[in-house]
Amino acid sequence: PYGLHTIIYGETGVGKSMLAEQMYRFSIELGIREEDSPFVTFNCADYANNPQLLMGHIFGVEKGAYTGADRSSAGLLEIANGGILFLDEIHRLSPEGQEMLFTFIDKGIFKRMGQSAKELSSQVLIIGATTEDPQSTLLDTFNRRIPMTIRIPPLRERSLVERIELIKHFFR
């Protein structure tokens, strides 16, 4: 009733982010989500060299979870509650991060980093985007939890008719 978790993949520039935004707008048009429901975008590549910080952004952090965590902070799963979390470059998420995310997908619950007992819940649709083939870059256990995979082909693979229609659309 709230949509299907989705992975969108294709080369850089094919429109993965645009499709995710259109999926969000469509869910509002259908009345699945409220007009003011959040659409939160996060690029996992920005923190790919620091997996702990990357997971802290997504799941939140409890004070003292690691050196420098001087206060508790909500993660994107809390911020996006009732809406959509768009994770660009999702293949940059570590295997541990993927496991934590698929636990959330399975049960709708998660823990902030540094939280041992208290579980939080959130209703968030996950849309991930990647330039890599999800079957070769994401864990099998993660892929099994994503019921929809969409490949957007580059322009060179599209027919002349499709290219002309796209050009007309962008001019409009």
Side-chain angles (χ1 to χ4, degrees):
Y2 303 109
L4 298 173
H5 300 291
T6 304
I7 295 287
I8 304 168
Y9 74 103
E11 294 177 9
T12 301
V14 296
K16 297 180 295 290
S17 299
M18 189 173 90
L19 177 59
E21 287 180 40
Q22 292 302 318
M23 291 169 72
Y24 167 72
R25 288 190 184 117
F26 186 68
S27 70
I28 290 173
E29 277 181 35
L30 289 181
I32 293 170
R33 286 184 180 71
E34 298 295 321
E35 194 73 34
D36 61 347
S37 66
F39 180 78
V40 178
T41 300
F42 182 74
N43 191 328
C44 297
D46 292 345
Y47 298 94
N49 294 329
N50 190 337
Q52 190 175 33
L53 192 55
L54 173 58
M55 292 193 307
H57 277 289
I58 295 172
F59 297 98
V61 176
E62 279 299 304
K63 181 178 177 177
Y66 54 82
T67 304
D70 54 357
R71 62 183 176 82
S72 295
S73 62
L76 298 173
L77 289 175
E78 290 174 75
I79 294 167
N81 189 24
I84 292 177
L85 175 57
F86 175 61
L87 296 173
D88 202 3
E89 301 294 334
I90 196 169
H91 65 278
R92 302 291 185 109
L93 197 57
S94 68
E96 295 80 16
Q98 290 178 47
E99 288 175 4
M100 290 170 68
L101 197 55
F102 77 61
T103 298
F104 169 74
I105 289 170
D106 278 354
K107 300 178 180 178
I109 57 172
F110 64 97
K111 293 179 184 176
R112 289 180 179 171
M113 288 185 62
Q115 211 168 34
S116 58
K118 184 179 177 189
E119 293 179 332
L120 302 170
S121 64
S122 188
Q123 185 182 337
V124 175
L125 180 70
I126 305 291
I127 300 177
T130 179
T131 54
E132 308 294 323
D133 179 0
Q135 298 303 317
S136 62
T137 56
L138 298 173
L139 296 173
D140 288 341
T141 50
F142 184 78
N143 278 319
R144 284 194 296 265
R145 281 155 177 89
I146 305 293
M148 184 183 302
T149 302
I150 300 171
R151 178 182 175 270
I152 302 178
L155 284 176
R156 69 179 173 278
E157 291 180 16
R158 293 178 181 263
S159 70
L160 184 59
V161 172
E162 281 182 293
R163 288 186 239 176
I164 291 170
E165 288 303 316
L166 284 169
I167 291 169
K168 287 180 188 176
H169 173 75
F170 287 126
F171 275 119
R172 279 192 296 271

